[in-house]
Amino acid sequence: MPQSTVSFRLDINRSNAIIDYIRTTASPRLLSNELFGPLMTITLYLGIIIAVFGTGANIVTITVYRRLGFVDTSNISLTALAISDLCVSITTLISFLSLVLLGTISNLPFTYEIFLPISASAHVNFSRVSALITAFLSTERYLCVLVPLKIKSLITPKRTFTVMVILFVAGLIRWPLDFIIFPIRWRYFPSLNRTLLGAIGSTDRTAVILRGFNQVYYVYLLPPLTFTIVLVCTILLSISLHRSKAWRDANKSIPLNASATSAAEKPNLQQSKEAKAVKLVITIATVFIIATIPSSIHIFAVATVPGFDVGGRYVNMWTLMGLVYNIVDCMNCGANVIIYFNMSSKFRQATLELFSRRCRK
């Protein structure tokens, strides 16, 4: 098959978004420019709305958990998850607004390329942090069910905070490297006859090595690892929860006096709290698993389909699918506050008190 030379330019207006090609040989595309334009516009504005909601929702979550305190280790983990999700929403909002900005304001001295290391890369990094924290939450909760006494004495607030810091470092280690791989500099664009600030991929030895590290670590290692951990722990937690419920139903008995009733209520109350915590983690993990499917499909397509990449023959579909899975990430980030509100009585009460005070003021 003959190779084609591609010149790539993304041109976005208020009403449409098109990708122009200059090719030496024609090649088919999965999505035509005529259809891609309206879809791109709808996706961008929908993504901005969802990103704004995710940003506000996670600010509320962080505020509420700060009011509840961090004596409970799960509050520390959920706050860290909310911080990471907040950064995912903000970076997505920056990326989408920058695309709209470039299409509505002419003669800007930069191109969308500069947002690759600034916001697009940051989105990927914080998404990996959220995945790592979700995997930690699932693993911790399953171990609490499996060996409760040992885990509760081992996992302290200080140790949980240390683990959260380590997970943030593990997920964000790529971000500064992308400024080496995609250095921001002035360059000339012949199609526009202008010199603009952009970020072109470096081809020196260091950049090539770092690009290979990013590919292995962020594409082939972290996503499958975190997805597998969350999936396995969620299945095991669901089985444990079902067995625990079946055992309680099978061993129900009627106490003979008030003292027996009081003694029986204490372990039942503790079991109820544990069951609610397990259900909360299962719900968070399930939403995470569903939200991970679009990005997994996108990564698999990039790795296996020739031309499904920037500048390739299927760049329209690559661009649109990339925006869609960014939106799904934001939906996952915003969904957590709804889960907490519906499944945690303490969180719901603190949230209502927070907004009632705001309204009175």
Side-chain angles (χ1 to χ4, degrees):
M1 178 180 294
Q3 298 294 325
S4 60
T5 303
V6 182
S7 175
F8 174 78
R9 180 171 65 88
L10 182 62
D11 181 19
I12 301 176
N13 300 311
R14 288 184 181 271
S15 59
N16 63 0
I18 60 172
I19 292 183
D20 295 333
Y21 299 85
I22 302 174
R23 295 179 179 273
T24 56
T25 58
S27 59
R29 294 190 293 273
L30 291 175
L31 187 63
S32 66
N33 288 339
E34 291 76 13
L35 183 59
F36 173 72
L39 289 177
M40 184 78 167
T41 303
I42 294 171
T43 304
L44 280 175
Y45 285 103
L46 177 63
I48 291 172
I49 295 171
I50 295 175
V52 169
F53 172 77
T55 301
N58 284 287
I59 291 174
V60 171
T61 301
I62 295 168
T63 305
V64 170
Y65 276 119
R66 184 177 62 83
R67 291 168 63 90
L68 291 175
F70 302 114
V71 177
D72 190 351
T73 57
S74 63
N75 286 4
I76 299 175
S77 302
L78 294 175
T79 302
L81 179 61
I83 293 172
S84 180
D85 286 346
L86 173 63
C87 294
V88 171
S89 299
I90 291 175
T91 53
T92 302
L93 184 61
I94 293 173
S95 295
F96 282 27
L97 285 176
S98 63
L99 281 170
V100 175
L101 179 69
L102 289 169
T104 55
I105 301 178
S106 59
N107 298 322
L108 290 173
F110 54 84
T111 69
Y112 180 74
E113 292 175 356
I114 67 170
F115 294 98
L116 293 177
I118 294 173
S119 58
S121 173
H123 171 91
V124 175
N125 285 279
F126 284 110
S127 295
R128 299 295 181 264
V129 173
S130 296
L132 287 169
I133 295 174
T134 305
F136 172 80
L137 280 168
S138 304
T139 306
E140 178 198 25
R141 187 49 50 186
Y142 175 67
L143 291 177
C144 285
V145 173
L146 189 65
V147 282
L149 297 179
K150 291 183 179 180
I151 295 301
K152 288 182 179 179
S153 60
L154 182 63
I155 300 180
T156 62
K158 185 176 181 180
R159 289 173 179 172
T160 303
F161 179 80
T162 303
V163 171
M164 292 300 107
V165 173
I166 293 173
L167 294 181
F168 267 87
V169 172
L172 296 175
I173 193 174
R174 165 188 166 175
W175 196 6
L177 302 181
D178 277 343
F179 287 91
I180 301 175
I181 300 173
F182 299 100
I184 298 176
R185 60 183 60 167
W186 294 95
R187 66 190 185 94
Y188 179 69
F189 289 82
S191 60
L192 302 175
N193 193 26
R194 293 181 61 194
T195 300
L196 302 173
L197 195 63
I200 189 170
S202 178
T203 57
D204 60 28
R205 182 178 178 83
T206 303
V208 171
I209 294 174
L210 293 178
R211 191 177 289 111
F213 166 77
N214 286 350
Q215 188 77 2
V216 173
Y217 184 62
Y218 279 88
V219 177
Y220 299 117
L221 178 61
L222 281 189
L225 178 64
T226 53
F227 183 84
T228 303
I229 292 174
V230 173
L231 180 62
V232 172
C233 289
T234 302
I235 294 173
L236 294 177
L237 280 171
S238 300
I239 295 173
S240 299
L241 186 65
H242 177 74
R243 287 178 178 176
S244 177
K245 183 178 182 301
W247 182 86
R248 290 197 304 271
D249 292 341
N251 290 273
K252 282 182 178 179
S253 60
I254 302 176
L256 299 177
N257 50 48
S259 60
T261 302
S262 178
E265 284 177 350
K266 292 181 180 179
N268 289 336
L269 182 60
Q270 184 63 29
Q271 289 176 356
S272 177
K273 289 182 179 180
E274 291 294 331
K276 288 181 179 179
V278 170
K279 289 180 181 179
L280 178 66
V281 172
I282 289 175
T283 307
I284 294 172
T286 302
V287 173
F288 167 80
I289 291 170
I290 296 172
T292 305
I293 293 175
S295 62
S296 301
I297 295 173
H298 192 267
I299 291 172
F300 179 78
V302 170
T304 58
V305 179
F308 191 81
D309 205 343
V310 59
R313 69 181 67 179
Y314 306 127
V315 66
N316 284 10
M317 185 64 70
W318 172 83
T319 303
L320 190 63
M321 283 189 64
L323 295 181
V324 168
Y325 94 70
N326 280 314
I327 291 175
V328 174
D329 281 347
C330 281
M331 292 174 66
N332 178 35
C333 297
N336 286 339
V337 70
I338 301 174
I339 295 172
Y340 304 151
F341 189 84
N342 287 323
M343 302 189 69
S344 173
S345 57
K346 289 183 179 180
F347 184 90
R348 181 167 56 253
Q349 182 179 356
T351 304
L352 294 175
E353 289 177 357
L354 174 64
F355 281 99
S356 63
R357 289 184 179 182
R358 297 286 183 185
C359 291
R360 285 198 298 268
K361 288 182 179 179

